[in-house]
Amino acid sequence: MRKKALITGASRGIGRAAAYALAKDGYDLFLVCRKSGEALLKVKEELERKYGVFCETALCDVSDPKQVEETVGRAGDIHVLVNNAAVSCVSLLTDMTLEEWHRVIDTNLNSLFYASRLAVPQMVRRKEGKIINVSSVWGNAGASMEVAYSASKGGVNSFTKALAKELAPSNIQVNGAAFGVIDTDMNACFSGEELEALAEEIPAGRMGTAQEAGEIIRWLAGAPAYLTGQIITMDGGWM
């Protein structure tokens, strides 16, 4: 029986790239996004055609625990859980609304709890599993005008390290990938000039690609069992 990976935020960006990377390794996939159902179906069709894997899709707002429970229940056996879905909010803290704060924290951090607590019992029974949490360099260093996002990703890092210790005796590995500036739709709020200025600050001289991020997730899915509780940073030497 082939292993199955569940990926949240899989219709675009890093989640989509992770789906392609894992499909190359023969994983069946359960792909989740909040509202881009048509884009998700296109990913499903291409992966099935190109790699011969079985792929299911579901619309799910990962900030809603009831929707997550229904979705994880539909997925069945999950060998790799990729918690990728995230949102940002660029704003002064004093200008941020309660709704904006809760939306970022619920989507980026609370969703890890909702999904992991449902996937972990079956992994414990099998004595095998991987949980990969997508983080950010802002979770390591913090960013002005992105307090909520930085706080959520800092929480992702601590969640990852703590859960790894809890699950290591059951041969389940929990790791995170903290990415720098990746060329995805999440950066659409910045102008071309702002992105060029940002790239100049990065020693590699460019933004990372979603495909490169997907390869890191693929690598973590196949990493040795002794690697757990780590936050792997890929940022072009920036931080």
Side-chain angles (χ1 to χ4, degrees), residues 72-102:
V72 173
R74 279 185 53 196
D77 289 335
I78 300 169
H79 301 85
V80 176
L81 171 62
V82 181
N83 288 309
N84 166 70
V87 295
S88 65
C89 179
V90 179
S91 170
L92 289 171
L93 179 69
T94 50
D95 291 338
M96 187 179 299
T97 66
L98 285 174
E99 290 75 15
E100 288 171 331
W101 173 270
H102 285 296

Side-chain angles (χ1 to χ4, degrees), residues 11-24:
S11 64
R12 60 181 183 169
I14 293 172
R16 182 179 185 274
Y20 278 79
L22 291 175
K24 285 193 292 187

Side-chain angles (χ1 to χ4, degrees), residues 101-182:
W101 173 270
H102 285 296
R103 177 171 172 261
V104 172
I105 298 300
D106 287 344
T107 303
N108 298 3
L109 179 57
N110 290 346
S111 64
L112 272 64
F113 166 66
Y114 302 149
S116 298
R117 75 187 181 100
L118 296 168
V120 162
Q122 57 171 275
M123 292 181 177
V124 170
R125 287 194 297 270
R126 288 194 305 266
K127 296 292 184 181
E128 180 186 22
K130 305 270 189 181
I131 298 175
I132 302 168
N133 299 320
V134 175
S135 187
S136 165
V137 292
W138 295 143
N140 302 335
S144 174
M145 300 284 288
E146 294 194 63
V147 172
Y149 184 80
S150 299
S152 71
K153 292 303 186 178
V156 167
N157 293 348
S158 294
F159 180 99
T160 298
K161 293 175 182 179
L163 187 59
K165 292 179 179 179
E166 189 172 313
L167 296 180
S170 297
N171 190 38
I172 299 164
Q173 293 76 49
V174 187
N175 291 293
F179 296 118
V181 185
I182 304 299

Side-chain angles (χ1 to χ4, degrees), residues 3 26 28 30 42-43 55 57 126 133 148 160 166 219 226 238-239:
K3 293 183 178 181
D28 287 334
F30 196 97
K42 289 181 180 178
V43 175
C55 185
T57 65
R126 288 194 305 266
N133 299 320
T160 298
E166 189 172 313
W219 178 77
Y226 205 58
W238 189 24
M239 292 292 172

Side-chain angles (χ1 to χ4, degrees), residues 175-196:
N175 291 293
F179 296 118
V181 185
I182 304 299
D183 189 10
T184 68
D185 292 344
M186 187 174 280
N187 297 316
C189 60
F190 299 108
S191 69
E193 290 183 357
E194 288 172 328
L195 290 174
E196 286 179 12

